[in-house]
Amino acid sequence: MKDMHLTLGDVLLGATEGKNFPVSAALPCKICQSDSEYFLSLDFAHHATRGPVRPYGVSVRHYRCKNCDHIFSNFCDDWSNEDFSKYIYNEFYANVDPEFSGARSRFFAESIDRNSDDKFRSASILDYGSGEGHLESSLREIGFKDVTSWDPFSGGDLPERKFDMIFAFEVLEHSPKPLDFIDDIIKYMSDDGVAYCSQEFIPEDIDNIRDRWWYFGPRNGHISFFSTRTVRELARKRDLNVKICDSGFFFWRKEMSPKVAAYVGAHNSADIEVELEGAPLIDDVAGWNELEEWEGGRFRWSAASRCPIGVFDIRRTKTTFSLRVLNSITENHLHGAKLWFNDDFVPLDYVDGRLVGTFVARARGKHFVWLETKPPVRPVDLGLSSDGRHLGVAIAAIDGRPDALMI
């Protein structure tokens, strides 16, 4: 990448038409380190205002994680802040982001004010990635007292204290290193503080629309993109609580300050995650072997390819289910796993010891949930032990009463 820096100015000024740097067919995901495959290429001039584009002739490749959906480019991975300021956030930036001058910040300030109570108005607030500080000015105009701005590309001193609430509006997609970005925000959060990142989530039909998704924009500095699954993976990596809303997500450590709790609660969750703690605890359940003991409680092995989980009253259109896995009979036994909801199913991904999938309900109400995996096999047939039972996947056991969980 050193050669890239030697010619960076010429390339991004369009002086080297058609120049492409060596690229990889696959890269590790920047969030979960799983395999990410080449997804698409965009000219560096491509921007998110949907206006006409005069190509630079410089290709920016994007990759997509097969595990957590993260879409990213490595084009700017070794750029300095000075590089970003020179080639993206320069005097021409307003041409590709007209709302940068303040209109967007006034909208965000009004939205914050509508959802605020007196406690929140007394909270200490940091606008992280503040640009020219328009949000701070707008919030102060409507009565917020303790507001600080900081942006790595606009200069100024680093904050020397921690905050009850940190806002990062339209910032995360600009980061070439998302985990480092989250770590830096955490550094400025009080122990019970909360952060909010506004975010345009990857649409479900991204495979069809591809480069027609309006949010792609290298010239805007948009180089990292997230689905709700990506956000959950990011939160798991940093052991954070997360609440996903329609246009962004909140995250915090273990406790939430009373100053900000009502503000967070005023935002509806767009996507509920339900943690299914496991297999039914009741005796003689078809599809499961007998209960066994482990240090964390009790568990049971699946004895059939389809095993009942329980009956759930689903109240939301979109729900993400997470099922903890203790063990499986073979390494690839979980490949192709599904959760069935009456006659509908969702594919499951294996992420950090859990099977995770998102169910979009056609109708709200009670759904009988089944886990489907590959057919179980006998350990004795695999030469693993003398155990002659059919075993598939080992799941922690819970109370299997119907309607135990209201979603």
Side-chain angles (χ1 to χ4, degrees):
M1 295 298 290
K2 291 183 178 179
D3 291 340
M4 177 179 173
H5 270 287
L6 292 175
T7 61
L8 186 59
D10 289 337
V11 169
L12 295 187
L13 290 174
T16 314
E17 295 295 329
K19 181 175 177 61
N20 290 310
F21 296 101
V23 296
S24 301
L27 294 174
C29 175
K30 294 183 179 184
I31 303 296
C32 68
Q33 287 73 56
S34 298
D35 290 340
S36 301
E37 295 179 338
Y38 169 76
F39 186 61
L40 57 77
S41 291
L42 298 169
D43 190 273
F44 180 80
H46 192 98
H47 57 84
T49 59
R50 309 184 191 183
V53 174
R54 182 179 66 84
Y56 278 63
V58 179
S59 179
V60 179
R61 293 205 169 197
H62 293 65
Y63 298 82
R64 185 183 184 189
C65 178
K66 295 189 289 185
N67 178 48
C68 75
D69 294 338
H70 183 39
I71 297 176
F72 61 93
S73 174
N74 64 341
F75 187 79
C76 306
D77 278 7
D78 61 351
W79 284 25
S80 65
N81 285 354
E82 289 74 20
D83 290 330
F84 280 101
S85 296
K86 184 175 182 179
Y87 300 115
I88 293 180
Y89 311 118
N90 51 32
E91 65 270 28
F92 304 109
Y93 185 72
N95 295 337
V96 296
D97 189 1
E99 296 179 350
F100 177 74
S101 60
R104 184 187 298 116
S105 294
R106 288 189 292 273
F107 170 81
F108 289 146
E110 292 170 0
S111 175
I112 291 169
D113 188 47
R114 282 195 304 272
N115 291 295
S116 298
D117 59 6
D118 290 340
K119 286 184 178 180
F120 187 71
R121 290 186 178 88
S122 69
S124 57
I125 296 173
L126 173 65
D127 180 19
Y128 186 103
S130 57
E132 298 174 347
H134 295 297
L135 180 61
E136 177 182 349
S137 300
S138 296
L139 287 174
R140 289 186 179 278
E141 287 176 4
I142 56 181
F144 288 80
K145 304 298 183 184
D146 190 354
V147 187
T148 301
S149 298
W150 185 74
D151 192 294
F153 305 113
S154 298
D157 296 328
L158 288 167
E160 296 182 353
R161 62 184 177 117
K162 297 181 183 296
F163 297 85
D164 299 315
M165 184 73 214
I166 299 177
F167 288 111
F169 286 108
E170 309 292 331
V171 182
L172 181 57
E173 66 273 14
H174 295 258
S175 174
K177 299 177 181 178
L179 287 175
D180 290 351
F181 174 89
I182 295 298
D183 289 340
D184 203 46
I185 286 185
I186 292 172
K187 184 169 62 178
Y188 297 113
M189 287 169 52
S190 61
D191 290 343
D192 57 359
V194 176
Y196 175 77
C197 295
S198 68
Q199 189 60 47
E200 183 78 18
F201 294 116
I202 298 170
E204 294 182 3
D205 61 347
I206 189 64
D207 286 317
N208 295 324
I209 62 175
R210 300 181 72 83
D211 60 356
R212 290 180 285 116
W213 184 34
W214 74 274
Y215 209 56
F216 283 133
R219 181 60 185 88
N220 294 87
H222 292 187
I223 50 179
S224 294
F225 308 92
F226 306 81
S227 70
T228 56
R229 180 184 299 176
T230 319
V231 171
R232 286 200 176 83
E233 179 65 19
L234 188 154
R236 287 192 180 99
K237 286 291 184 182
R238 292 301 182 258
D239 194 25
L240 297 167
N241 290 298
V242 64
K243 178 178 182 178
I244 298 176
C245 306
D246 287 332
S247 56
F249 61 97
F250 295 91
F251 62 87
W252 63 97
R253 297 185 182 93
K254 301 300 181 185
E255 304 293 334
M256 184 186 298
S257 168
K259 290 184 178 181
V260 302
Y263 179 81
V264 176
H267 294 75
N268 292 327
S269 294
D271 188 344
I272 298 295
E273 180 169 15
V274 176
E275 190 170 294
L276 301 175
E277 285 299 337
L281 187 61
I282 56 179
D283 295 329
D284 301 323
V285 180
W288 295 97
N289 283 294
E290 68 279 4
L291 287 165
E292 300 180 56
E293 300 287 338
W294 70 299
E295 60 182 11
R298 287 188 280 183
F299 75 96
R300 64 197 328 159
W301 283 92
S302 62
S305 59
R306 291 189 70 178
C307 305
I309 298 294
V311 177
F312 300 98
D313 192 0
I314 296 179
R315 302 290 181 84
R316 287 184 173 269
T317 302
K318 188 176 183 181
T319 309
T320 296
F321 288 85
S322 173
L323 181 66
R324 186 178 181 187
V325 175
L326 303 181
N327 204 350
S328 60
I329 190 65
T330 61
E331 289 186 1
N332 67 351
H333 193 80
L334 298 174
H335 293 176
K338 303 173 183 176
L339 269 185
W340 284 86
F341 298 82
N342 294 340
D343 296 326
D344 296 321
F345 74 86
V346 295
L348 298 175
D349 296 306
Y350 184 64
V351 181
D352 286 347
R354 294 184 179 275
L355 288 169
V356 181
T358 299
F359 175 56
V360 179
R362 291 185 291 180
R364 300 179 185 183
K366 293 182 179 179
H367 291 69
F368 195 93
V369 182
W370 299 76
L371 171 66
E372 179 179 335
T373 63
K374 294 179 178 180
V377 294
R378 301 192 308 168
V380 65
D381 295 336
L382 298 175
L384 299 175
S385 72
S386 59
D387 194 335
R389 297 176 300 165
H390 286 85
L391 305 180
V393 56
I395 303 290
I398 60 169
D399 188 344
R401 293 172 301 161
D403 307 321
L405 183 61
M406 306 294 284
I407 303 169

